[in-house]
Amino acid sequence: MYSSSIFDPHFDNFSPQEPQRAPIGVFDSGVGGLTVLRQIYQQLPNESIIYVGDTARLPYGIRSQTEILQFVREILRWMQQQGVKMAIMACNTSSALSLDIVRQEFNFPILGVILPGAKAAVQEGQRIGVIATPATAQSNAYRQAILEIQPNVQVWQVSCPEFVPLIEQNRIHDPYTTEIAKTYLEPLLKQKIDTLVYGCTHYPHLSPVLRSLLPSQVKLIDPAVHVVAACSQELDILGIKNTHPPMPTRFAVSGCPQQFTQSGLQWLGYTPMVEQVCFADAVVS
Ligand code: DGL
């Protein structure tokens, strides 16, 4: 099942002499990272992207740190084989549970979403709510990151276990989703938050529902916007921003490619070519 290139010979075209042309690897458990990909298309239109969705093993948010570390290492090894110049963990759960560890293990820069999200949140508010997967909420990663930057704010984190399955099943407009969203937001509204962080990259897909339930003065922070801005800065610092036209985005998923093609069409507005990959098979020589 694993293949370096089923129908993407174009990705073999960059040479080590031109590192700026190499792709950026972006990964998530599923469609959440597409919120980051959309930002890349807006902010970094010349970059070539390899998007990984580990759809056979989602949701990540109910997994242990040991499992997340294993999955993340497998994906990053596979990306290394594809010759990425940088990777973005477009997944808060992976960023919370594995970023500090795997950063030491790979020879390309790896960016996570939590620090950029935390920095943006403290710019906006003082009573900050974070909605996240159970694993991210339990890790306390957002509270720690926010308080380290600005100790004088207050942070409340809420675990939202039902959101990712509902989003992956495309049940955004199902009345049940609104009901469950009300339940998750209730403790944050009681605390009169002024800012809400999407602590999971899937959640911006729910923005119409969440916006309808929040007072208009509550600011929404999407870490996707800020991790891509950080990526842009990092590319400039390293002198590897691509100035040539990008290659078409390559999509690799561990689950059903057809299902991902559908979601891609919905969230990106075009029909992506999706290949199936078994990341566990990736071995670096
Ligand atoms: N979108 C990911 C995150 O930001 C993973 C969600 C999941 O698979 O539970 O946490």
Side-chain angles (χ1 to χ4, degrees):
M1 191 160 55
Y2 164 69
S3 114
S4 59
S5 177
I6 297 174
F7 43 70
D8 307 80
H10 52 270
F11 259 99
D12 300 333
N13 288 348
F14 58 87
S15 81
Q17 280 78 49
E18 290 185 295
Q20 73 274 18
R21 282 188 190 250
I24 297 174
V26 175
F27 77 87
D28 180 41
S29 59
V31 299
L34 298 180
T35 59
V36 175
L37 184 61
R38 286 193 308 218
Q39 279 302 317
I40 294 177
Y41 288 159
Q42 280 186 28
Q43 297 186 44
L44 294 168
N46 289 332
E47 297 302 329
S48 303
I49 306 298
I50 301 181
Y51 185 93
V52 163
D54 195 4
T55 49
R57 303 190 284 199
L58 68 80
Y60 274 16
I62 51 167
R63 300 271 189 181
S64 67
Q65 184 179 28
T66 310
E67 286 176 303
I68 296 294
L69 257 175
Q70 180 201 324
F71 300 164
V72 168
R73 282 184 174 127
E74 288 170 1
I75 292 167
L76 290 171
R77 268 186 225 132
W78 183 81
M79 286 184 170
Q80 190 169 30
Q81 287 179 332
Q82 314 309 307
V84 299
K85 63 181 176 186
M86 188 177 281
I88 301 181
M89 287 188 179
C91 171
N92 291 265
T93 309
S94 307
S95 307
L97 301 184
S98 74
L99 180 63
D100 293 342
I101 299 169
V102 297
R103 252 191 184 150
Q104 325 287 329
E105 300 173 358
F106 290 85
N107 61 358
F108 49 86
I110 305 171
L111 305 185
V113 270
I114 291 182
L115 187 60
K119 281 184 183 165
V122 300
Q123 301 282 315
E124 291 296 339
Q126 315 220 302
R127 303 181 66 80
I128 301 170
V130 180
I131 46 174
T133 66
T136 302
Q138 235 170 48
S139 77
N140 249 331
Y142 266 103
R143 174 172 288 125
Q144 279 165 10
I146 290 171
L147 294 180
E148 217 162 278
I149 305 165
Q150 179 49 269
N152 300 327
V153 301
Q154 283 183 286
V155 184
W156 295 271
Q157 300 169 120
V158 172
S159 158
C160 311
E162 294 210 48
F163 274 167
V164 168
L166 287 167
I167 294 162
E168 287 287 338
Q169 291 160 25
N170 197 14
R171 291 175 60 192
I172 312 289
H173 301 290
D174 188 326
Y176 177 75
T177 304
T178 305
E179 282 315 303
I180 201 82
K182 267 187 203 157
T183 317
Y184 291 149
L185 292 181
E186 194 187 284
L188 298 175
L189 293 176
K190 268 203 188 124
Q191 295 299 339
K192 301 213 179 323
I193 55 163
D194 54 24
T195 305
L196 179 68
V197 180
Y198 292 124
C200 170
T201 52
H202 279 73
Y203 300 172
H205 293 316
L206 280 181
S207 63
V209 177
L210 297 172
R211 196 65 277 179
S212 75
L213 297 172
L214 289 165
S216 58
Q217 69 274 16
V218 173
K219 289 167 218 121
L220 279 164
I221 302 291
D222 182 357
V225 177
H226 307 283
V227 72
V228 175
C231 174
S232 175
Q233 268 183 7
E234 187 83 2
L235 292 169
D236 281 334
I237 291 167
L238 297 172
I240 53 171
K241 196 174 259 180
N242 195 17
T243 50
H244 303 277
M247 292 175 279
T249 304
R250 179 177 169 194
F251 292 86
V253 300
S254 53
C256 172
Q258 288 78 14
Q259 198 181 327
F260 201 84
T261 303
Q262 293 291 316
S263 319
L265 176 60
Q266 173 173 356
W267 297 118
L268 298 170
Y270 69 87
T271 305
M273 295 271 277
V274 184
E275 66 190 281
Q276 192 176 32
V277 167
C278 178
F279 301 107
D281 291 348
V283 180
V284 175
S285 52

